[in-house]
Amino acid sequence: MIELNKKNIPKHIAITMDGNGRWAKAKGKNRVFGHKNGVKAVRETVESAVENNIEFLTLYAFSTENWMRPKLEVNSLMNLLISSIINETKTLMKNDIKLMAIGDINKIPKTAKNKLDSVIEKTKNNAKMSLILAISYSGRWEIINAVKKIIKNNVDANEINEHLFEQYLDTKNVPDPELVIRTSGEHRISNFLLWQIAYSELYFTKVFWPDFRKKDFINAIVEYQKRDRRFGK
């Protein structure tokens, strides 16, 4: 069993859950089959994060670009989101996990949004860990949206700095991730938390998301603990 350095645990880990479609294709199945099997990876990752005292876990669930996928796949993803939230609500409460969401949430179907809002409200006082779902999200959308809010509030240009700008982001009350994990062997950021990951450590694994398990999550943290974070100094 790999031993982690408990004094060097990332406060916030963000994950791009990639490879569901290719995993399914390799098995002669459609992409939806891959998304459904990715739910177990989510469950194990969340459990491992709680067990290792991660305070914030952000999962890239659905990007703004994903709306361009075939309608059947999009509808299946939204239905899967609803069912997963319903099925995992008791687990979130049991483990003292607060559910949050970032992104253009108003764009998702009303039924899914209502269920999401309900669980967010129910878990808002939980304090062990914050599970953040990035839904209908992209880094560029978030930055542009922040600029629009700043303009709407007539903020003096001389007052704008990094701290003020961050107050207009979806993640305004969330620390930047120290570690970003991407599965499936791709080496891209894919429009994920573009502002927040300026100094994050990036970890890429060839494991497709449906096969991602606790040991893979721990391996990523172990690799993170080997790195010397200098922040440009």
Side-chain angles (χ1 to χ4, degrees):
M1 184 69 177
I2 299 174
E3 287 293 330
L4 293 176
N5 177 1
K6 299 299 183 181
K7 295 181 180 180
N8 188 21
I9 297 293
K11 177 180 285 189
H12 182 184
I13 296 178
I15 305 178
T16 297
M17 306 177 292
D18 194 26
N20 290 336
R22 279 168 287 158
W23 181 88
K25 184 177 180 181
K27 297 180 180 300
K29 304 288 186 178
N30 61 30
R31 294 175 61 86
V32 174
F33 179 77
H35 296 311
K36 289 180 178 178
N37 279 273
V39 172
K40 184 174 182 180
V42 171
R43 187 177 297 116
E44 287 212 13
T45 300
V46 171
E47 288 176 356
S48 186
V50 171
E51 291 166 359
N52 289 285
N53 298 313
I54 306 299
E55 295 181 33
F56 297 88
L57 177 66
T58 298
L59 302 179
Y60 202 3
F62 193 91
S63 73
T64 54
E65 292 82 4
N66 287 158
W67 290 113
M68 295 183 286
R69 290 185 176 183
K71 187 175 181 179
L72 175 62
E73 183 179 357
V74 171
N75 289 340
S76 297
L77 276 168
M78 287 300 147
N79 290 331
L80 183 60
L81 172 65
I82 295 172
S83 62
S84 296
I85 289 174
I86 293 173
N87 293 337
E88 299 300 326
T89 302
K90 288 184 179 179
T91 301
L92 294 176
M93 295 303 297
K94 179 182 177 181
N95 290 286
D96 199 22
I97 299 172
K98 177 181 180 179
L99 183 68
M100 301 170 62
I102 59 175
D104 192 3
I105 307 301
N106 290 324
K107 193 173 181 180
I108 69 176
K110 186 175 181 179
T111 302
K113 184 180 182 301
N114 289 343
K115 178 52 61 177
L116 180 64
D117 289 342
S118 175
V119 179
I120 288 174
E121 176 65 23
K122 186 173 184 178
T123 62
K124 68 180 182 180
N125 294 319
N126 292 349
K128 175 68 175 175
M129 186 182 80
S130 292
L131 173 61
I132 306 163
L133 299 181
I135 306 172
S136 190
Y137 173 90
S138 79
R140 287 183 176 180
W141 169 87
E142 182 184 26
I143 291 170
I144 291 172
N145 195 49
V147 172
K148 288 179 178 178
K149 285 189 274 187
I150 289 172
I151 294 172
K152 186 177 181 180
N153 286 351
N154 296 313
V155 178
D156 188 320
N158 294 318
E159 295 179 4
I160 300 175
N161 53 34
E162 287 189 16
H163 176 70
L164 183 141
F165 190 80
E166 287 171 350
Q167 302 312 302
Y168 287 88
L169 294 172
D170 280 26
T171 56
K172 63 181 179 180
N173 296 317
V174 177
D176 293 341
E178 294 96 332
L179 173 63
V180 178
I181 300 169
R182 180 169 185 148
T183 58
S184 88
E186 300 292 352
H187 294 72
R188 292 190 295 272
I189 301 302
S190 293
N191 216 347
F192 186 36
L193 299 174
L194 296 181
W195 176 277
Q196 298 86 343
I197 65 172
Y199 281 101
S200 300
E201 296 297 321
L202 307 180
Y203 176 84
F204 301 100
T205 174
K206 293 182 179 180
V207 177
F208 289 134
W209 180 248
D211 289 329
F212 194 82
R213 295 293 178 265
K214 288 185 178 182
K215 63 179 177 59
D216 301 300
F217 185 68
I218 297 301
N219 285 339
I221 299 176
V222 169
E223 177 60 31
Y224 164 84
Q225 293 182 341
K226 294 177 182 177
R227 300 182 186 180
D228 179 21
R229 306 187 73 216
R230 296 185 297 274
F231 302 95
K233 298 178 182 177

